[in-house]
Amino acid sequence: HFKSGLGTDVVVKLVDNHIWAGGSEHAATGVVFNPNIPTEETFTMPHKYGVDGVVYASKPLEYQGNLIEDFWLRFQNGKVVAFGAKKQEATLKNLLESDEGSSRLGEIALISNDSPISNSGILFLNTLFDENASCHMALGRAYPINVQGGVEMSQEQLEKVGYNHSLVHSDFMFGTADMSIVGTKHDGSTVQIFQNGNFII
C-alpha cells in the first residue's frame, strides 16, 4: 500500500511466488552481468489484475520525444480507468492505448528517496537514469525473471500467474520524500517497508 502527499493512494498486489530482483542478473548462458549502470532499484512483478487506487507521478516522463508532466492514473482491477496530465495528455493517452497490456502494470520498483541519482536533483530525460531517482512503476510488459520458474514458462503459463504482456514497457516515477509503503502478508499482518521516502527494513 503506497501513500504520498501528492495524492498517491494505491494498493499493488504481487503475483504468487514473485521474486525481487535488482543489480546483477544471469544471462541464459550463465554469464553474470549488470543490465543497468547505475542502478538503485529493487523490482518485482505486480499482478495484472491486482492494482487499485490512484497514482500521482512525481517526475515528468519522457515518451517518444514528448515530456508528459504532472500526470495521474487511476487503477481498478489492474487497469487504468481514468487519467490526466497538465502537459502532453494526448501522449499519455497514446501510451495507454498502445495495446491491451499498456494500461496495466508490468513492474513495481522500490528505491529510497535518499539515493545518489535522487540527490543529484538532475532530470536526465533518460528513463534508465531517471528511474533510479524514486520508486517507480512500469506500464506494459512484465519480466518473467520476477516469478519463480518464469523464464521456463510459456506465455499461457505466465498469464495464469498474473503476468502482463505488452509491446511497451514504460517506467514512470512516483516516489516522494514522504512516501509510505506498508506490506500486507498472507496472514493479514502488516510490515512498514518505507517511511518518509526511505526503506526502514
PDB file of all heavy atoms in Angstrom, residues 1 3 6 11 13 16 22 27-28 37 51 58 64 74 82 86 94 98 104 107 109 131 158 183 191:
ATOM      1  N   HIS A   1       0.854  -1.175   0.000  1.00  0.00           N
ATOM      2  CA  HIS A   1       0.000   0.000   0.000  1.00  0.00           C
ATOM      3  C   HIS A   1       0.900   1.238   0.000  1.00  0.00           C
ATOM      4  O   HIS A   1       1.629   1.497   0.950  1.00  0.00           O
ATOM      5  CB  HIS A   1      -0.896  -0.010   1.226  1.00  0.00           C
ATOM      6  CG  HIS A   1      -1.920   1.069   1.222  1.00  0.00           C
ATOM      7  ND1 HIS A   1      -2.802   1.263   2.258  1.00  0.00           N
ATOM      8  CD2 HIS A   1      -2.214   2.034   0.308  1.00  0.00           C
ATOM      9  CE1 HIS A   1      -3.607   2.284   1.987  1.00  0.00           C
ATOM     10  NE2 HIS A   1      -3.253   2.765   0.804  1.00  0.00           N
ATOM     11  N   LYS A   3       1.394   5.372  -0.225  1.00  0.00           N
ATOM     12  CA  LYS A   3       0.716   6.639   0.022  1.00  0.00           C
ATOM     13  C   LYS A   3       1.742   7.762   0.027  1.00  0.00           C
ATOM     14  O   LYS A   3       2.863   7.596   0.514  1.00  0.00           O
ATOM     15  CB  LYS A   3      -0.025   6.621   1.364  1.00  0.00           C
ATOM     16  CG  LYS A   3      -1.163   5.613   1.445  1.00  0.00           C
ATOM     17  CD  LYS A   3      -1.899   5.700   2.769  1.00  0.00           C
ATOM     18  CE  LYS A   3      -2.811   6.923   2.803  1.00  0.00           C
ATOM     19  NZ  LYS A   3      -3.665   6.924   4.026  1.00  0.00           N
ATOM     20  N   LEU A   6       1.451  13.736  -2.462  1.00  0.00           N
ATOM     21  CA  LEU A   6       0.985  14.164  -3.793  1.00  0.00           C
ATOM     22  C   LEU A   6      -0.444  13.699  -4.053  1.00  0.00           C
ATOM     23  O   LEU A   6      -1.121  14.230  -4.925  1.00  0.00           O
ATOM     24  CB  LEU A   6       1.890  13.587  -4.888  1.00  0.00           C
ATOM     25  CG  LEU A   6       3.208  14.287  -5.191  1.00  0.00           C
ATOM     26  CD1 LEU A   6       3.949  13.556  -6.302  1.00  0.00           C
ATOM     27  CD2 LEU A   6       2.977  15.742  -5.583  1.00  0.00           C
ATOM     28  N   VAL A  11      -2.956   0.344  -3.875  1.00  0.00           N
ATOM     29  CA  VAL A  11      -2.551  -0.981  -3.407  1.00  0.00           C
ATOM     30  C   VAL A  11      -2.128  -1.802  -4.625  1.00  0.00           C
ATOM     31  O   VAL A  11      -2.861  -1.879  -5.618  1.00  0.00           O
ATOM     32  CB  VAL A  11      -3.701  -1.689  -2.670  1.00  0.00           C
ATOM     33  CG1 VAL A  11      -3.316  -3.128  -2.335  1.00  0.00           C
ATOM     34  CG2 VAL A  11      -4.061  -0.926  -1.396  1.00  0.00           C
ATOM     35  N   LYS A  13      -1.036  -5.540  -5.660  1.00  0.00           N
ATOM     36  CA  LYS A  13      -0.906  -6.955  -5.320  1.00  0.00           C
ATOM     37  C   LYS A  13       0.225  -7.551  -6.151  1.00  0.00           C
ATOM     38  O   LYS A  13       0.369  -7.242  -7.338  1.00  0.00           O
ATOM     39  CB  LYS A  13      -2.211  -7.697  -5.625  1.00  0.00           C
ATOM     40  CG  LYS A  13      -2.157  -9.179  -5.328  1.00  0.00           C
ATOM     41  CD  LYS A  13      -3.475  -9.862  -5.713  1.00  0.00           C
ATOM     42  CE  LYS A  13      -3.408 -11.363  -5.479  1.00  0.00           C
ATOM     43  NZ  LYS A  13      -4.673 -12.040  -5.883  1.00  0.00           N
ATOM     44  N   ASP A  16       1.841 -14.479  -6.935  1.00  0.00           N
ATOM     45  CA  ASP A  16       2.353 -15.525  -6.051  1.00  0.00           C
ATOM     46  C   ASP A  16       3.729 -15.970  -6.535  1.00  0.00           C
ATOM     47  O   ASP A  16       3.994 -16.014  -7.744  1.00  0.00           O
ATOM     48  CB  ASP A  16       1.403 -16.729  -6.039  1.00  0.00           C
ATOM     49  CG  ASP A  16       0.109 -16.435  -5.287  1.00  0.00           C
ATOM     50  OD1 ASP A  16       0.093 -15.494  -4.459  1.00  0.00           O
ATOM     51  OD2 ASP A  16      -0.886 -17.143  -5.538  1.00  0.00           O
ATOM     52  N   GLY A  22      17.272  -7.081  -8.796  1.00  0.00           N
ATOM     53  CA  GLY A  22      17.975  -5.798  -8.844  1.00  0.00           C
ATOM     54  C   GLY A  22      19.468  -6.035  -8.904  1.00  0.00           C
ATOM     55  O   GLY A  22      19.963  -7.085  -8.476  1.00  0.00           O
ATOM     56  N   ALA A  27      22.628 -14.154 -17.449  1.00  0.00           N
ATOM     57  CA  ALA A  27      22.201 -14.375 -18.832  1.00  0.00           C
ATOM     58  C   ALA A  27      21.860 -15.846 -19.012  1.00  0.00           C
ATOM     59  O   ALA A  27      22.196 -16.691 -18.177  1.00  0.00           O
ATOM     60  CB  ALA A  27      23.305 -13.964 -19.808  1.00  0.00           C
ATOM     61  N   ALA A  28      21.177 -16.174 -20.115  1.00  0.00           N
ATOM     62  CA  ALA A  28      20.815 -17.568 -20.393  1.00  0.00           C
ATOM     63  C   ALA A  28      22.052 -18.460 -20.474  1.00  0.00           C
ATOM     64  O   ALA A  28      21.989 -19.664 -20.205  1.00  0.00           O
ATOM     65  CB  ALA A  28      20.028 -17.640 -21.694  1.00  0.00           C
ATOM     66  N   ILE A  37      23.550   0.398 -15.438  1.00  0.00           N
ATOM     67  CA  ILE A  37      24.545   1.049 -14.589  1.00  0.00           C
ATOM     68  C   ILE A  37      24.370   2.558 -14.768  1.00  0.00           C
ATOM     69  O   ILE A  37      24.462   3.047 -15.889  1.00  0.00           O
ATOM     70  CB  ILE A  37      25.985   0.653 -14.965  1.00  0.00           C
ATOM     71  CG1 ILE A  37      26.188  -0.863 -14.813  1.00  0.00           C
ATOM     72  CG2 ILE A  37      26.988   1.399 -14.096  1.00  0.00           C
ATOM     73  CD1 ILE A  37      27.561  -1.345 -15.263  1.00  0.00           C
ATOM     74  N   VAL A  51      -4.154  -4.161  -9.093  1.00  0.00           N
ATOM     75  CA  VAL A  51      -3.776  -2.789  -8.753  1.00  0.00           C
ATOM     76  C   VAL A  51      -5.037  -1.947  -8.622  1.00  0.00           C
ATOM     77  O   VAL A  51      -5.851  -1.890  -9.556  1.00  0.00           O
ATOM     78  CB  VAL A  51      -2.838  -2.180  -9.827  1.00  0.00           C
ATOM     79  CG1 VAL A  51      -2.354  -0.801  -9.396  1.00  0.00           C
ATOM     80  CG2 VAL A  51      -1.664  -3.108 -10.100  1.00  0.00           C
ATOM     81  N   SER A  58       5.693  11.729  -9.737  1.00  0.00           N
ATOM     82  CA  SER A  58       6.498  12.720  -9.018  1.00  0.00           C
ATOM     83  C   SER A  58       7.527  13.395  -9.915  1.00  0.00           C
ATOM     84  O   SER A  58       8.134  14.386  -9.524  1.00  0.00           O
ATOM     85  CB  SER A  58       7.194  12.051  -7.832  1.00  0.00           C
ATOM     86  OG  SER A  58       7.971  10.948  -8.248  1.00  0.00           O
ATOM     87  N   GLN A  64       8.643   9.065 -26.344  1.00  0.00           N
ATOM     88  CA  GLN A  64       8.663   9.322 -27.788  1.00  0.00           C
ATOM     89  C   GLN A  64       8.924  10.793 -28.099  1.00  0.00           C
ATOM     90  O   GLN A  64       8.286  11.399 -28.960  1.00  0.00           O
ATOM     91  CB  GLN A  64       7.357   8.854 -28.425  1.00  0.00           C
ATOM     92  CG  GLN A  64       7.163   7.347 -28.341  1.00  0.00           C
ATOM     93  CD  GLN A  64       5.940   6.851 -29.076  1.00  0.00           C
ATOM     94  OE1 GLN A  64       5.016   7.615 -29.343  1.00  0.00           O
ATOM     95  NE2 GLN A  64       5.930   5.566 -29.402  1.00  0.00           N
ATOM     96  N   ARG A  74      -5.615   6.415 -12.456  1.00  0.00           N
ATOM     97  CA  ARG A  74      -6.476   5.699 -11.523  1.00  0.00           C
ATOM     98  C   ARG A  74      -6.663   4.272 -12.013  1.00  0.00           C
ATOM     99  O   ARG A  74      -7.054   4.041 -13.158  1.00  0.00           O
ATOM    100  CB  ARG A  74      -7.845   6.377 -11.382  1.00  0.00           C
ATOM    101  CG  ARG A  74      -8.752   5.676 -10.340  1.00  0.00           C
ATOM    102  CD  ARG A  74     -10.046   6.448 -10.093  1.00  0.00           C
ATOM    103  NE  ARG A  74      -9.785   7.755  -9.537  1.00  0.00           N
ATOM    104  CZ  ARG A  74      -9.515   7.996  -8.249  1.00  0.00           C
ATOM    105  NH1 ARG A  74      -9.459   6.974  -7.391  1.00  0.00           N
ATOM    106  NH2 ARG A  74      -9.294   9.212  -7.822  1.00  0.00           N
ATOM    107  N   ALA A  82      -8.952   5.895 -15.542  1.00  0.00           N
ATOM    108  CA  ALA A  82      -9.017   7.346 -15.683  1.00  0.00           C
ATOM    109  C   ALA A  82      -7.598   7.889 -15.568  1.00  0.00           C
ATOM    110  O   ALA A  82      -6.734   7.275 -14.933  1.00  0.00           O
ATOM    111  CB  ALA A  82      -9.912   7.967 -14.610  1.00  0.00           C
ATOM    112  N   LYS A  86      -1.157  17.639 -16.986  1.00  0.00           N
ATOM    113  CA  LYS A  86      -1.166  19.074 -17.273  1.00  0.00           C
ATOM    114  C   LYS A  86      -0.509  19.365 -18.616  1.00  0.00           C
ATOM    115  O   LYS A  86      -0.856  20.339 -19.287  1.00  0.00           O
ATOM    116  CB  LYS A  86      -0.473  19.849 -16.155  1.00  0.00           C
ATOM    117  CG  LYS A  86      -1.283  19.911 -14.867  1.00  0.00           C
ATOM    118  CD  LYS A  86      -0.649  20.824 -13.843  1.00  0.00           C
ATOM    119  CE  LYS A  86      -1.511  20.897 -12.584  1.00  0.00           C
ATOM    120  NZ  LYS A  86      -0.871  21.747 -11.539  1.00  0.00           N
ATOM    121  N   ASN A  94      -1.963   8.048 -25.788  1.00  0.00           N
ATOM    122  CA  ASN A  94      -1.391   7.157 -26.805  1.00  0.00           C
ATOM    123  C   ASN A  94      -0.618   6.008 -26.172  1.00  0.00           C
ATOM    124  O   ASN A  94      -0.690   4.864 -26.634  1.00  0.00           O
ATOM    125  CB  ASN A  94      -0.467   7.949 -27.740  1.00  0.00           C
ATOM    126  CG  ASN A  94      -1.230   8.872 -28.667  1.00  0.00           C
ATOM    127  OD1 ASN A  94      -2.417   8.690 -28.895  1.00  0.00           O
ATOM    128  ND2 ASN A  94      -0.556   9.888 -29.180  1.00  0.00           N
ATOM    129  N   SER A  98      -1.604   1.866 -26.429  1.00  0.00           N
ATOM    130  CA  SER A  98      -0.685   1.205 -27.363  1.00  0.00           C
ATOM    131  C   SER A  98      -1.149  -0.199 -27.715  1.00  0.00           C
ATOM    132  O   SER A  98      -1.125  -0.613 -28.869  1.00  0.00           O
ATOM    133  CB  SER A  98       0.726   1.137 -26.768  1.00  0.00           C
ATOM    134  OG  SER A  98       1.260   2.421 -26.574  1.00  0.00           O
ATOM    135  N   ARG A 104      -1.938  -1.533 -18.094  1.00  0.00           N
ATOM    136  CA  ARG A 104      -1.744  -2.297 -16.861  1.00  0.00           C
ATOM    137  C   ARG A 104      -0.259  -2.275 -16.496  1.00  0.00           C
ATOM    138  O   ARG A 104       0.586  -1.928 -17.328  1.00  0.00           O
ATOM    139  CB  ARG A 104      -2.224  -3.738 -17.040  1.00  0.00           C
ATOM    140  CG  ARG A 104      -3.722  -3.863 -17.321  1.00  0.00           C
ATOM    141  CD  ARG A 104      -4.151  -5.319 -17.438  1.00  0.00           C
ATOM    142  NE  ARG A 104      -5.557  -5.448 -17.783  1.00  0.00           N
ATOM    143  CZ  ARG A 104      -6.556  -5.454 -16.906  1.00  0.00           C
ATOM    144  NH1 ARG A 104      -6.295  -5.342 -15.613  1.00  0.00           N
ATOM    145  NH2 ARG A 104      -7.806  -5.583 -17.307  1.00  0.00           N
ATOM    146  N   GLU A 107       5.645  -3.794 -13.783  1.00  0.00           N
ATOM    147  CA  GLU A 107       6.763  -3.708 -12.838  1.00  0.00           C
ATOM    148  C   GLU A 107       6.409  -2.742 -11.716  1.00  0.00           C
ATOM    149  O   GLU A 107       5.738  -1.735 -11.936  1.00  0.00           O
ATOM    150  CB  GLU A 107       8.030  -3.224 -13.547  1.00  0.00           C
ATOM    151  CG  GLU A 107       9.242  -3.053 -12.646  1.00  0.00           C
ATOM    152  CD  GLU A 107      10.408  -2.362 -13.333  1.00  0.00           C
ATOM    153  OE1 GLU A 107      10.446  -2.317 -14.579  1.00  0.00           O
ATOM    154  OE2 GLU A 107      11.290  -1.861 -12.613  1.00  0.00           O
ATOM    155  N   ALA A 109       8.845  -0.989  -8.567  1.00  0.00           N
ATOM    156  CA  ALA A 109      10.221  -0.911  -8.093  1.00  0.00           C
ATOM    157  C   ALA A 109      10.332   0.017  -6.893  1.00  0.00           C
ATOM    158  O   ALA A 109       9.724   1.088  -6.863  1.00  0.00           O
ATOM    159  CB  ALA A 109      11.139  -0.422  -9.209  1.00  0.00           C
ATOM    160  N   GLU A 131      14.827   6.595 -13.646  1.00  0.00           N
ATOM    161  CA  GLU A 131      14.070   5.629 -12.842  1.00  0.00           C
ATOM    162  C   GLU A 131      14.781   5.300 -11.533  1.00  0.00           C
ATOM    163  O   GLU A 131      14.180   4.767 -10.603  1.00  0.00           O
ATOM    164  CB  GLU A 131      13.819   4.350 -13.633  1.00  0.00           C
ATOM    165  CG  GLU A 131      15.056   3.505 -13.875  1.00  0.00           C
ATOM    166  CD  GLU A 131      14.754   2.176 -14.556  1.00  0.00           C
ATOM    167  OE1 GLU A 131      13.597   1.964 -14.924  1.00  0.00           O
ATOM    168  OE2 GLU A 131      15.686   1.368 -14.717  1.00  0.00           O
ATOM    169  N   LEU A 158       2.521 -18.045 -17.972  1.00  0.00           N
ATOM    170  CA  LEU A 158       2.828 -16.770 -17.337  1.00  0.00           C
ATOM    171  C   LEU A 158       1.554 -15.973 -17.062  1.00  0.00           C
ATOM    172  O   LEU A 158       1.381 -15.399 -15.980  1.00  0.00           O
ATOM    173  CB  LEU A 158       3.777 -15.945 -18.224  1.00  0.00           C
ATOM    174  CG  LEU A 158       5.251 -16.341 -18.200  1.00  0.00           C
ATOM    175  CD1 LEU A 158       6.001 -15.680 -19.343  1.00  0.00           C
ATOM    176  CD2 LEU A 158       5.888 -15.966 -16.857  1.00  0.00           C
ATOM    177  N   GLY A 183       3.439  -3.228   3.648  1.00  0.00           N
ATOM    178  CA  GLY A 183       3.184  -4.519   3.025  1.00  0.00           C
ATOM    179  C   GLY A 183       2.247  -5.350   3.878  1.00  0.00           C
ATOM    180  O   GLY A 183       2.344  -5.329   5.116  1.00  0.00           O
ATOM    181  N   VAL A 191       3.631  -4.914   7.530  1.00  0.00           N
ATOM    182  CA  VAL A 191       5.024  -4.546   7.768  1.00  0.00           C
ATOM    183  C   VAL A 191       5.269  -3.179   7.128  1.00  0.00           C
ATOM    184  O   VAL A 191       4.977  -2.984   5.944  1.00  0.00           O
ATOM    185  CB  VAL A 191       6.002  -5.574   7.147  1.00  0.00           C
ATOM    186  CG1 VAL A 191       7.447  -5.135   7.372  1.00  0.00           C
ATOM    187  CG2 VAL A 191       5.766  -6.956   7.715  1.00  0.00           C
TER     188      VAL A 191
END
